[in-house]
Amino acid sequence: MAKNDPYAALRFKEFNVFLLLRFALVFGWSMQFVVIEWQVYALTEDPLSLGIIGLCEFLPAFFLAPFAGHIVDKKEKRNLFALCIGLFSLISFGLFWLTSERIESSWETRTILYGIYGLVFFGGVLRAFFGPTIFSLIALIVPKRVYPNAATWSSSTWKGANVFGALCGGFLIAWIGVHYTLGLIFVLVMIALLLVFQISRKPILNKDSGESIKESLRAGISFVFNDKVILGALTLDMIAVLFGGAVAIFAVFAKDILDAGPKGFGILNAALSSGSIITMLATTYIPITKGTGKKLLVSVFGFGVCMIIFGASKLMWLSVLALFFSGVFDGISMVVRQTILQLKTPDEMRGRVGAVNSMFVGSSNELGALESGIAARIFGAPLAVVLGGTVTLIIVAIIGVKNIPLRELDLQEDIATHEQKET
């Protein structure tokens, strides 16, 4: 394998299959979330019902994550992934069935609504398993020397599928309606289920050692909190999204600050997402393993600066530019973080570390949306975003000064070590 090969991970057949099925899954999941939000609001005309959707998914995903990580470490990953996809297909079919004309005409609105909430809750349970399972499976599909490249392609696939799934969900609701859009999502999930069996079964690297669930969970959490590099990387991501993110209140800026309307709202979201996707793809050509820690700190700092500019801007072009570059910095930090986790996590502990990562990421997204809403109500949207960006800069500065192992991190040495072992 040539050094700095941008297609290194793609030279492994199973990894290509993995990317394809991951795109189908995330694309379908993103569409499904948009369609559910639309349908629930159409049934209730109550904004609070939309918050309940997020809560139903967040609670089980967050609190079951540590137990899910323990189970993932003890089980064969390919079959566990297939089981998760199979159960997800039941959720997709259940939503397809609940939105049929027969059910809508014979059931009470409240019953349908509770059915949707129940399926979303079940989806949150599966989400607790999906994260650590995928994180563990990638490490078994490609050799360690191409982890950075694999992390880049995997993150790019996830981001692209997430963006285009949400976009297509809105268009398909208008074109073919909620019911048939959910039917299409079910088809995508079934395609993913067929694809997963093109990946061979993988060895279980953490066989039963007699430790209790409590000991296993303590070991996983202790590993993350005692490793300054991993803890620092996760903390930076959580703080950036929790305080620096403003996606939840883009509508306020589009309508009240920039006077850009629905089209402007779409442009703001597209600017952020396109910056992330372009950068993730660029990192397949531009290595991020040299001076890794400094690049992570600079990217999160740059993200905070861009969000301050966005919050203070009253010009549409400047706001779009600020969001685009915030997406650029976010894309860099996402790839760097995933690469750090893949290279620094022992094989026998990937499920539990992946679960802790899911807890950090999941809590920051949902709680970040809540924080944005509360801060916007108290301070107004512009000041809330400026303050959030400022907090991000302060935290990055503190971590940069205090966390020397993260600041001095250079993954080139880790990759060289793995290459020697594999050859």
Side-chain angles (χ1 to χ4, degrees):
M1 185 191 72
K3 286 191 175 182
N4 300 335
D5 180 2
Y7 308 107
L10 300 184
R11 303 190 190 284
F12 297 86
K13 180 183 176 182
E14 287 190 339
F15 186 71
N16 287 284
V17 173
F18 168 80
L19 289 184
L20 188 58
L21 76 87
R22 191 177 194 194
F23 184 90
L25 272 179
V26 177
F27 187 82
W29 196 302
S30 298
M31 276 206 297
Q32 184 169 283
F33 192 78
V34 170
V35 175
I36 290 171
E37 284 190 322
W38 180 274
Q39 181 67 3
V40 166
Y41 191 70
L43 291 172
T44 64
E45 296 185 350
D46 181 5
L48 180 61
S49 62
L50 301 179
I52 294 175
I53 293 174
L55 190 64
C56 285
E57 185 174 3
F58 165 72
L59 288 177
F62 183 82
F63 288 105
L64 289 179
F67 301 96
H70 166 78
I71 293 172
V72 169
D73 277 335
K74 301 291 184 182
K75 300 295 182 181
E76 194 278 314
K77 310 302 183 288
R78 195 284 306 271
N79 285 349
L80 182 59
F81 195 23
L83 177 61
C84 290
I85 297 173
L87 293 173
F88 180 43
S89 71
L90 297 180
I91 297 175
S92 298
F93 184 79
L95 291 168
F96 173 71
W97 178 67
L98 280 174
T99 55
S100 63
E101 289 186 11
R102 179 181 176 185
I103 296 300
E104 288 185 342
S105 62
S106 58
W107 286 23
E108 292 184 358
T109 298
R110 180 178 295 180
T111 304
I112 296 174
L113 188 63
Y114 288 162
I116 292 174
Y117 285 152
L119 289 172
V120 171
F121 184 89
F122 184 29
V125 174
L126 289 182
R127 179 177 151 187
F129 286 86
F130 266 120
T133 302
I134 290 172
F135 178 73
S136 301
L137 187 60
I138 293 176
L140 297 172
I141 291 176
V142 298
K144 287 182 171 65
R145 68 179 183 274
V146 297
Y147 279 179
N149 187 256
T152 299
W153 282 108
S154 180
S155 298
S156 300
T157 299
W158 174 84
K159 190 67 176 181
N162 189 47
V163 171
F164 291 117
L167 182 64
C168 289
F171 282 114
L172 287 172
I173 291 172
W175 290 342
I176 62 177
V178 168
H179 179 61
Y180 290 107
T181 300
L182 290 169
L184 178 60
I185 293 168
F186 174 71
V187 172
L188 284 171
V189 177
M190 294 307 297
I191 291 173
L193 183 59
L194 293 174
L195 286 172
V196 76
F197 291 104
Q198 299 301 309
I199 298 174
S200 62
R201 294 183 60 174
K202 304 302 176 186
I204 302 173
L205 300 178
N206 181 13
K207 301 222 170 121
D208 190 3
S209 60
E211 64 180 354
S212 66
I213 294 179
K214 184 178 179 180
E215 291 172 336
S216 174
L217 297 180
R218 184 185 296 124
I221 294 173
S222 296
F223 172 78
V224 172
F225 281 86
N226 289 330
D227 190 301
K228 289 189 175 182
V229 170
I230 291 179
L231 181 61
L234 292 179
T235 302
L236 282 172
D237 177 72
M238 183 180 71
I239 294 299
V241 177
L242 183 61
F243 293 105
V247 176
I249 54 175
F250 275 1
V252 178
F253 281 88
K255 182 181 178 183
D256 301 331
I257 310 300
L258 302 171
D259 194 25
K263 290 184 179 179
F265 175 61
I267 292 173
L268 294 179
N269 280 284
L272 178 65
S273 301
S274 59
S276 296
I277 295 171
I278 291 172
T279 304
M280 287 179 185
L281 293 175
T283 55
T284 61
Y285 294 89
I286 305 171
I288 46 85
T289 51
K290 187 173 180 61
T292 314
K294 292 183 178 65
K295 287 177 180 176
L296 179 60
L297 290 165
V298 169
S299 64
V300 179
F301 190 89
F303 175 82
V305 171
C306 288
M307 295 313 298
I308 291 174
I309 295 172
F310 171 72
S313 171
K314 298 187 184 305
L315 301 173
M316 184 63 182
W317 67 267
L318 181 58
S319 298
V320 170
L321 198 63
L323 287 179
F324 175 81
F325 280 104
S326 73
V328 167
F329 288 119
D330 182 53
I332 295 172
S333 66
M334 184 181 297
V335 171
V336 172
R337 187 182 75 254
Q338 288 301 318
T339 303
I340 289 173
L341 290 175
Q342 286 290 358
L343 286 172
K344 291 292 185 181
T345 303
D347 289 331
E348 70 276 7
M349 205 171 280
R350 290 189 180 279
R352 283 164 287 178
V353 174
V356 176
N357 178 46
S358 297
M359 293 174 68
F360 271 75
V361 174
S363 63
S364 61
N365 283 325
E366 274 79 12
L367 295 180
L370 179 63
E371 182 274 333
S372 294
I374 294 174
R377 171 70 69 86
I378 297 174
F379 303 110
L383 182 56
V385 174
V386 170
L387 290 175
T390 304
V391 171
T392 301
L393 299 187
I394 294 171
I395 298 298
V396 172
I398 293 173
I399 292 177
V401 172
K402 297 287 187 180
N403 195 329
I404 297 175
L406 178 62
R407 188 180 71 228
E408 301 300 326
L409 177 67
D410 191 320
L411 291 179
Q412 289 281 67
E413 297 176 4
D414 294 83
I415 295 172
T417 301
H418 291 309
E419 285 180 341
Q420 290 176 357
K421 290 181 180 178
E422 290 169 358
T423 56

